[in-house]
Amino acid sequence: MNSQRSLIGFIVAGAIALLIAIAGFYWFFAKSPANLIASTSEPGAAIFVSKLSPAMVSLLTNPDRLQALEREEELSKLKTSLFAKSGIDYKQDVQPWLGNEITLAITTLDIDRDSENGQQPGYLLALATKQPEKSREFVELLFSKRALSGATLAVEQYKGVKLITDNSQPEKDLLSGAVVGEGFVLFANDPKVLKDAINNVQAPDLNLTSSPEYQKATKELPKGGLAVAFLNLPVVAKWQGLELSEQLYNSEIISLALNPKGLVAETTFLTSSEILTPSAPLSKPVGALQYVPASAGLAISGSNLSNLADSDLAKLWRQATATIYGSGEDVVSRLAKPLVDVQKRWGINLPEDIFSWIQGEYAIALLPKQDETTPHWIFVVEKSESVEPGIARLDAIASSNGLSINPLTIDQQKISAWTELTTATKKNDAKEGASFSIETKVRGLHTNLGNYEIFTSDLETMNEILTIKDNSLIDNPNFQDSIATIPLPNQGYIYLDWTKSQNLLERQVPILKLAEVLGKPFFDNLRSLTVSSYGTDTRSLKGGVFFQLKNS
């Protein structure tokens, strides 16, 4: 179990380091990101990886082109830490031969396939070489230095490849290495992993490139991506010890690329079933966003929530959160806590009592307020035949919970408010005793503007919407830059302003603080991120995340 945890940490740290490195290069060369384009979209090391591998991640450019991070010393630490115990000098011993690919893969869930002695995953590191002889000298040097430090080495020939293994302390620091052909230097945590890698090359039907899922996934990769990751989702779930009740998607491929405005992560989920999208794709941003203030920290927009629960997007969310967390409930309740609180306070079910009658455009937004732990919320719905009876249903629920429906007017705009009467006690002097006053608390409001019905949590937020003028989110240049990178048509946007939401998210998702520590240079320069799904293939779900950085 400990070895599995350490490997998970290794993969996570590697992925974060990869993201940091690419982002760091962008900050330094922001005016000319085209300078960093991978020569290929697909990792060549996939020929060493089994088609049953849970995960593979590749950097498709030489790390020396990411020198921007030298000012933060992060890249230097990453380079030196790989060889610190062996006295290897990166600049002298590695840099001369290192090529344009570094691939890390989890090759198997259990190296010896014996469940009785515990699970020991195998992992493989493949480094592209541009000078095979130099790289052979490096491998010899690496293991000779370990031998001088007291290690016991084992050398063997396997199918024409020389394998060197330090097996002096297999439970702590076992390492096996080889140079295969003219293209790659391989390292693994067990010689069995290297032998399997060689077998995968010599029997092509065993390796990842022969997998129909992988072949289809790589066709979705954009040109010039700097990094790519491939996940075999059923095996990943098994790796985590999970048996998913619902598993629609079989694999996922992710690519990272730069554009003049930021960093783009594009992903495709593949399935053998027909995809059911939650709504027809949108050819432009929804009009409901014109009523969301630019001060919003989180905004979600799209159309037709009535069939959301049965859509494949919802099934993906349930599969992904169950794989990562074991259950989707905790992460949902944390990220959408204000809406969850509304459900509890009113005794409503969002999918049944609200989402079911929203067939047109919608926008949901959270507005973090300084010195307030709970953000204000906005819900904008396009008018349709089902909206009026839907509001009547909410009024009935409010009344059953002891709330009153009262008319208000703000700047000549008629508003309906759900209010609650409470008593407040004020102590007077001893002779007069205590006095009581009645206070009215607003629990929610709604009004009609143009072709939309607008719901808010409080009067302050409603007033901000009524006086929004040209200060809406859709008019915000940062938002416009973010959605400009997302292809049209699409299913709408999830927009997160990191600078405004950071404190709120840290309170709701404590583990985020750890990610920020590991990825400090990236998070320090992150301005916002935007998520969307798009594509027309009926057997894949395609989407992307755009990370806008502060100097873009």
Side-chain angles (χ1 to χ4, degrees):
M1 185 63 182
N2 290 335
S3 62
Q4 181 173 340
R5 285 176 179 168
S6 64
L7 184 57
I8 293 172
F10 181 57
I11 297 297
V12 171
I16 291 174
L18 182 62
L19 187 62
I20 293 170
I22 294 174
F25 186 94
Y26 177 74
W27 304 331
F28 192 70
F29 293 102
K31 295 183 180 180
S32 56
N35 289 339
L36 187 61
I37 298 177
S39 57
T40 177
S41 298
E42 301 179 28
I47 60 173
F48 300 109
V49 180
S50 167
K51 63 172 65 175
L52 300 178
S53 165
M56 179 183 74
V57 59
S58 302
L59 176 65
L60 301 178
T61 190
N62 191 296
D64 288 320
R65 301 184 70 186
L66 308 176
Q67 291 299 319
L69 287 181
E70 292 295 350
R71 62 185 179 186
E72 299 285 348
E73 299 183 352
E74 296 293 337
L75 190 58
S76 293
K77 291 177 183 177
L78 183 61
K79 292 174 181 176
T80 57
S81 64
L82 291 174
F83 310 108
K85 293 182 180 180
S86 300
I88 295 296
D89 181 89
Y90 172 83
K91 188 172 183 180
Q92 177 180 323
D93 301 323
V94 180
Q95 191 179 58
W97 58 264
L98 186 60
N100 291 324
E101 180 182 336
I102 299 176
T103 290
L104 175 66
I106 306 163
T107 60
T108 179
L109 298 183
D110 193 7
I111 295 174
D112 63 7
R113 298 174 177 83
D114 184 358
S115 59
E116 294 185 0
N117 61 7
Q119 190 178 68
Q120 175 57 55
Y123 57 91
L124 178 73
L125 179 66
L127 309 173
T129 175
K130 55 189 178 183
Q131 295 187 37
E133 286 305 317
K134 285 280 187 182
S135 57
R136 286 188 177 90
E137 293 174 7
F138 165 75
V139 173
E140 297 283 348
L141 175 65
L142 174 64
F143 284 96
S144 65
K145 285 182 176 289
R146 294 172 77 97
L148 290 174
S149 299
T152 302
L153 302 183
V155 180
E156 62 177 308
Q157 290 286 330
Y158 184 78
K159 295 187 177 181
V161 178
K162 182 180 179 180
L163 309 183
I164 307 177
T165 301
D166 171 5
N167 57 11
S168 54
Q169 292 181 304
E171 73 282 0
K172 292 184 178 180
D173 195 22
L174 191 148
L175 178 69
S176 187
V179 178
V180 181
E182 300 293 308
F184 283 93
V185 177
L186 303 183
F187 293 102
N189 63 330
D190 193 288
K192 294 178 183 177
V193 175
L194 287 187
K195 292 177 182 179
D196 286 344
I198 294 168
N199 292 339
N200 290 335
V201 176
Q202 297 185 357
D205 60 318
L206 298 177
N207 67 47
L208 194 57
T209 59
S210 67
S211 164
E213 287 283 332
Y214 182 76
Q215 292 173 3
K216 184 177 179 181
T218 54
K219 290 180 181 179
E220 302 293 333
L221 290 173
K223 293 182 178 180
L226 298 178
V228 62
F230 179 77
L231 302 177
N232 186 330
L233 297 178
V235 185
V236 170
K238 184 179 178 182
W239 181 30
Q240 299 301 311
L242 299 173
E243 293 184 7
L244 303 181
S245 58
E246 185 174 32
Q247 184 164 289
L248 174 66
Y249 296 93
N250 304 318
S251 60
E252 176 188 8
I253 196 160
I254 308 165
S255 68
L256 292 176
L258 296 176
N259 73 18
K261 296 183 182 296
L263 178 68
V264 179
E266 188 168 271
T267 184
T268 302
F269 295 88
L270 296 116
T271 176
S272 55
S273 305
E274 290 288 332
I275 292 288
L276 173 66
T277 57
S279 61
L282 301 167
S283 58
K284 61 181 180 179
V286 300
L289 287 170
Q290 66 185 295
Y291 299 108
V292 175
S295 59
L298 172 68
I300 304 171
S301 62
S303 67
N304 190 10
L305 286 172
S306 62
N307 68 340
L308 180 62
D310 296 324
S311 71
D312 289 319
L313 195 61
K315 293 177 182 178
L316 169 62
W317 174 258
R318 291 193 290 269
Q319 179 178 334
T321 53
T323 300
I324 297 171
Y325 297 93
S327 169
E329 294 181 4
D330 183 62
V331 67
V332 171
S333 63
R334 288 180 179 275
L335 292 177
K337 191 174 185 300
L339 300 181
V340 173
D341 290 344
V342 170
Q343 282 193 110
K344 292 180 179 178
R345 187 186 306 126
W346 283 36
I348 62 174
N349 180 290
L350 285 176
E352 294 179 7
D353 297 323
I354 297 181
F355 294 170
S356 62
W357 48 266
I358 298 173
Q359 299 173 352
E361 295 179 356
Y362 69 88
I364 304 171
L366 298 181
L367 282 67
K369 299 295 181 180
Q370 193 171 7
D371 302 325
E372 292 186 27
T373 57
T374 302
H376 300 182
W377 55 262
I378 298 170
F379 189 24
V380 184
V381 183
E382 185 180 21
K383 286 182 181 178
S384 66
E385 293 181 358
S386 59
V387 169
E388 188 173 341
I391 294 174
R393 183 175 181 178
L394 289 180
D395 285 342
I397 293 173
S399 296
S400 68
N401 281 278
L403 301 181
S404 301
I405 296 92
N406 296 311
L408 299 175
T409 301
I410 300 179
D411 195 21
Q412 299 183 343
Q413 176 69 30
K414 294 182 179 179
I415 297 168
S416 292
W418 294 297
T419 62
E420 179 183 14
L421 296 179
T422 62
T423 58
T425 304
K426 181 180 179 182
K427 288 186 178 181
N428 296 320
D429 56 47
K431 293 182 179 180
E432 295 182 7
S435 63
F436 297 90
S437 63
I438 297 177
E439 296 181 352
T440 302
K441 290 187 176 181
V442 174
R443 298 303 187 186
L445 310 96
H446 68 93
T447 191
N448 176 267
L449 287 175
N451 196 38
Y452 296 89
E453 192 74 22
I454 300 172
F455 303 81
T456 68
S457 57
D458 54 274
L459 285 167
E460 178 186 348
T461 303
M462 181 63 78
N463 184 63
E464 188 173 354
I465 293 172
L466 296 178
T467 57
I468 200 168
K469 295 184 180 179
D470 296 327
N471 196 31
S472 69
L473 183 64
I474 203 168
D475 297 317
N476 184 281
N478 289 334
F479 179 75
Q480 288 290 340
D481 286 344
S482 294
I483 64 174
T485 65
I486 306 294
L488 288 170
N490 57 51
Q491 296 293 330
Y493 307 103
I494 299 175
Y495 174 78
L496 175 69
D497 189 312
W498 175 249
T499 57
K500 295 172 183 173
S501 302
Q502 181 177 0
N503 292 336
L504 170 65
L505 291 172
E506 288 174 347
R507 288 195 299 269
Q508 305 297 347
V509 189
I511 197 174
L512 186 59
K513 291 185 178 180
L514 175 61
E516 290 177 48
V517 171
L518 295 174
K520 189 176 186 301
F522 175 75
F523 283 100
D524 284 350
N525 287 270
L526 179 63
R527 173 179 287 161
S528 67
L529 62 88
T530 306
V531 184
S532 184
S533 63
Y534 42 85
T536 57
D537 193 323
T538 59
R539 295 188 182 272
S540 67
L541 181 63
K542 192 170 186 176
V545 183
F546 172 69
F547 300 91
Q548 186 180 39
L549 306 175
K550 288 182 180 178
N551 68 340
S552 60

